[in-house]
Amino acid sequence: MVNVGIIGYGYWGPNLVRNFYAANDCCVKAVADERPERLQQLEKEFPSVKGVKDAREIVHDPGIDAVVIATPVSTHFTLARKALAEGKHVLIEKPMTSSVEEAELLINLAEQKGVLLMVDHTFLYTGAVQKMRQLVDGQELGNIKYLDSTRINLGLFQSDINVLWDLAPHDISILNYIVDERPYSINATGITHTNNNIENIAYLTVNYASGFIAHFNCSWTSPVKVRMMLIGGDQKMILYNDLEPTEKIKVYDTGYSYSNDEEKKRVLVDYRTGDIHVPKLATTEALLGMANDFISSVQEKKQPKSSCHLGLDVVRILEASNKSIKHCGREVVLQDTTVPAIHNDHEVLI
């Protein structure tokens, strides 16, 4: 049995408590939140779970094995560092930290202490994302050429992070989970309409040496809510609509081929349109799958699907997006990546 303490009982905290309460081999011992009204709500919904105002009571409790952090991003590093230093296993909500440096420090500390550090990228545990990875790994789409994501809605405006840090981690984590190749650079543009230097509309492009490209459109100011992703291969293509109640994924047997007409100096393109297939998806709750993965990874000392290294890769792209936005969309080369020879005029900003 793994004894868990959860810090934060705001928007996401109740969902975490509910699913860790239902997880295998897990006991939720305590929840911390400095707001009395939230602790009153906890007592009403989970009377057997102890509520405390001070997170330090959870961090220093010798009876707690693992700490779950569901607080604002700016607090992730400090809380996680204290918990890891106490020898606790730690699960952090996305995004992992506010910077690459903070994420790397936490990973090193977890390795020194011999404990698990994990990030809650819940979408990796959905039946839809599992199916997409299966299709890509099985070469059902052929060679994948692009990923295009739109995640827009009206609100909620955040006061400490911009729209990319708020919405894009979901889809960047899916990208990094599905695509084995590491990106070499990014471009990002955005704008604020609230005069606080926090972008409420932003566009992010992730570039790869192979020619694969990923694009993300994020907004807090759309009149409609859209959660849609396209993955295109040279054989088939996927449409993923997370707002669809049942048919979240459709596989289009659609593609194109081309040849070069040297004499007329043009490209000849042939198009192919075939059937549409709607695969059956697993229907278990993703957050429960995440909770079970965390607990089993603690018990079996294994790496979870949503590892701290995947969390670091997400933060690396987000941090680079900040630099690109502030430099009017200039290309930012990511660390530890090989830059293709055809791109030799960009500036390394990170």
Side-chain angles (χ1 to χ4, degrees), residues 130-145 178 231-238 249 251-255 272 275 277 279:
Q130 289 297 311
K131 176 58 69 173
M132 288 194 293
R133 173 158 175 164
Q134 179 186 333
L135 292 169
V136 170
D137 287 349
Q139 294 288 304
E140 294 280 337
L141 310 182
N143 297 312
I144 57 172
K145 300 297 185 182
I178 290 176
I231 302 177
D234 55 14
Q235 297 297 320
K236 295 180 181 180
M237 302 180 186
I238 292 175
I249 284 184
V251 182
Y252 289 75
D253 188 5
T254 301
R272 175 181 55 79
D275 295 333
H277 171 60

Side-chain angles (χ1 to χ4, degrees), residues 177-198:
Y177 183 64
I178 290 176
V179 178
D180 289 331
E181 184 183 2
R182 293 175 63 85
Y184 73 83
S185 73
I186 67 95
N187 300 85
T189 57
I191 193 167
T192 176
H193 296 110
T194 51
N195 298 320
N196 62 354
N197 292 320
I198 297 178

Side-chain angles (χ1 to χ4, degrees), residues 273-288:
T273 302
D275 295 333
I276 301 173
H277 171 60
V278 180
K280 184 178 180 180
L281 306 178
T283 56
T284 54
E285 184 168 356
L287 198 54
L288 179 58

Side-chain angles (χ1 to χ4, degrees), residues 58-67 80 82-90 110 113 115-117:
I58 287 178
V59 170
H60 297 294
D61 186 341
I64 289 178
D65 307 304
V67 175
K82 290 177 180 177
L84 291 170
E86 291 293 320
K88 311 290 189 188
H89 305 283
V90 172
K113 293 292 183 177
V115 294
L116 176 68
L117 175 62

Side-chain angles (χ1 to χ4, degrees), residues 7-9 28 56 63 67 90 92 94 100 108-109 115 144 181 275 277 304 317 339:
I7 301 175
Y9 199 69
V28 180
R56 288 175 294 185
V67 175
V90 172
I92 312 177
K94 61 81 190 168
V100 170
N108 290 335
L109 181 57
V115 294
I144 57 172
E181 184 183 2
D275 295 333
H277 171 60
I317 290 174
V339 181

Side-chain angles (χ1 to χ4, degrees), residues 182-185 333-339:
R182 293 175 63 85
Y184 73 83
S185 73
V333 178
L334 301 170
Q335 292 177 335
D336 304 322
T337 54
T338 301
V339 181

Side-chain angles (χ1 to χ4, degrees), residues 256-272:
Y256 64 91
S257 60
Y258 69 92
S259 60
N260 293 309
D261 187 335
E262 296 295 341
E263 183 178 341
K264 295 184 179 180
K265 295 183 179 180
R266 64 178 182 175
V267 176
L268 302 177
V269 181
D270 288 326
Y271 300 95
R272 175 181 55 79

